[in-house]
Amino acid sequence: MSTILPEAAVSASDVPVKPARRTADLVAAGLLTPDAAAAVESVTRRYAVSLTPYVVEQAAQSPGGPVYAQYIPTPEEAYTAPGENGDPIGDDVHSPVKGIVHRYPDRVLLKPLHACAVYCRFCFRREMVGPGGDALTADELAAALAYVREHPAVWEVVVTGGDPFLLAPRRLAEIVQGLAAMGHVGVVRFHSRVPMADPARVTAELVAALRAPGLATWVAVHVNHADELTPETTGALARLADAGIPLVSQTVLLKGINDSAAALENLFRGLVRHRVKPYYLHHPDLAPGTSHFRPTLDEGRALVRSLRGTVSGLCQPTYVLDIPGGHGKAPAAGEWVSPTAEGWEAADFRNQKHIYKD
């Protein structure tokens, strides 16, 4: 990363910690020098910046470290590599109504909003999310829920976005109760960065809103490095787990942040220790301006192989490649993805083959 670091980050004890939503805020927080802020101004006009006060404090404790590098913009983001595009996993082609993505027969994504508490620099939806991003109106949410109701093959609803934990508990409860009233829906799964980025938001009221009789609620937490497992964030995880909500994790394999066996071991063991089952290790998607985060598939496969026998099966997620073009996920460590003369051949869940180029 080429970000110019300040000589000393501002201590949380020096000034009240505020959210950072502009480059000027990052300078004020001691996270960028003025020169570095000027160097990324064009980047931040295109891709949203937002750090919660909690993340500002965590990033300031270790400038250039694994938390800092996930959230602070760099000049490298201005470069769009060949193959990168604004919808790298093909959500749009599988969206029959606003807020719904129906890629697999038995499950849908429900995206009630496009805002997040924080904006990761490697986000695969970075062209679609941002402050003031689209949220479904009451009529649009009703139409999205009606789509689920009218498709009895849908057994699982994945609520994502954006970050659904930004919704008020009342609105979360309305979604959960609406799904629980549909006899064919058995599982609702929430995907959220909030437990890691704004753990105080995971209140007893929010946790209670996630549950309804007759519906199994799961939460998938986005976490990329063991440094994110602090007393505050593990407390948020405990509030969810103690309420009987099963927890899984999603991790993105990121060059310079967690692309070592030691970093992954520490993260996955830490998650299991706090009752979170590592679920997916994502190969980074081909989102614009993210090539500096992306290891090669060969590197990722070697890392995953190195974990076999080193950590418990409980600590082993599935390493997955989201096949560009909307074809779904392929396990990337085994026979589903194989090298060819053209690059890599990835088999989707229908065993149709697609070429992927690093």
Side-chain angles (χ1 to χ4, degrees):
M1 310 294 172
S2 64
T3 302
I4 306 168
L5 299 175
E7 291 184 7
V10 176
S11 165
S13 61
D14 294 333
V15 294
V17 180
K18 298 179 179 179
R21 299 191 179 96
R22 303 169 300 149
T23 51
D25 299 332
L26 297 175
V27 173
L31 297 173
L32 284 179
T33 66
D35 285 348
V40 298
E41 198 64 51
S42 64
V43 167
T44 58
R45 282 197 296 268
R46 180 172 180 181
Y47 305 120
V49 172
S50 183
L51 284 69
T52 61
Y54 174 80
V55 169
V56 168
E57 192 168 10
Q58 294 301 304
Q61 289 178 11
S62 183
V67 174
Y68 180 102
Q70 294 182 59
Y71 296 110
I72 307 302
T74 64
E76 288 94 334
E77 294 177 56
Y79 170 66
T80 298
E84 292 181 343
N85 71 86
D87 184 20
I89 68 169
D91 278 353
D92 287 349
V93 297
H94 295 288
S95 184
V97 298
K98 189 173 182 179
I100 291 287
V101 177
H102 195 173
R103 179 179 286 108
Y104 301 102
D106 72 333
R107 76 214 84 140
V108 298
L109 301 185
L110 171 61
K111 299 190 289 185
L113 78 169
H114 280 168
C116 295
V118 290
Y119 294 104
C120 306
R121 307 319 304 171
F122 47 86
C123 178
F124 71 102
R125 290 196 177 115
R126 63 196 326 229
E127 297 274 22
M128 309 171 194
V129 299
D134 257 359
L136 297 185
T137 66
D139 287 345
E140 288 167 344
L141 179 58
L145 291 173
Y147 179 89
V148 178
R149 189 179 303 109
E150 292 160 6
H151 288 76
V154 173
W155 177 78
E156 181 176 10
V157 176
V158 180
V159 186
T160 180
D163 197 312
F165 280 11
L166 287 191
L167 294 173
R170 173 185 57 81
R171 293 197 64 200
L172 286 170
E174 289 171 357
I175 291 171
V176 172
Q177 290 164 13
L179 295 172
M182 304 176 197
H184 58 92
V185 177
V187 175
V188 59
R189 184 191 344 152
F190 288 92
H191 284 203
S192 181
R193 190 76 153 127
V194 161
M196 297 295 111
D198 194 6
R201 183 179 282 272
V202 184
T203 61
E205 186 182 11
L206 182 146
V207 173
L210 303 179
R211 304 180 66 192
L215 186 67
T217 298
W218 290 62
V219 171
V221 181
H222 180 173
V223 52
N224 296 317
H225 197 275
D227 284 2
E228 297 176 74
L229 299 176
T230 66
E232 294 83 4
T233 62
T234 57
L237 297 176
R239 290 192 287 278
L240 291 160
D242 288 347
I245 296 175
L247 304 176
V248 296
S249 70
Q250 297 206 106
T251 296
V252 182
L253 183 62
L254 298 167
K255 186 183 292 186
I257 293 174
N258 61 13
D259 60 334
S260 72
L264 294 177
E265 286 175 22
N266 289 338
L267 171 60
F268 298 147
R269 285 175 174 160
L271 287 168
V272 170
R273 188 180 185 94
H274 292 287
R275 295 178 285 174
V276 182
K277 171 67 179 84
Y279 178 40
Y280 278 147
L281 175 64
H282 291 272
H283 192 76
D285 295 313
L286 295 172
T290 64
S291 60
H292 55 292
F293 285 112
R294 202 159 46 243
T296 66
L297 272 170
D298 261 335
E299 291 167 337
R301 286 157 66 96
L303 271 174
V304 170
R305 283 195 300 271
S306 75
L307 296 178
R308 294 293 168 186
T310 304
V311 296
S312 157
L314 281 174
C315 300
Q316 310 236 7
T318 301
Y319 179 40
V320 291
L321 171 71
D322 244 308
I323 305 170
H327 304 290
K329 294 179 178 64
E335 68 278 3
W336 289 75
V337 176
S338 55
T340 72
E342 298 177 76
W344 295 84
E345 185 178 76
D348 64 25
F349 67 102
R350 297 184 180 90
N351 206 32
Q352 296 174 342
K353 307 297 173 59
H354 310 272
I355 295 299
Y356 174 85
K357 295 183 179 181
D358 269 331

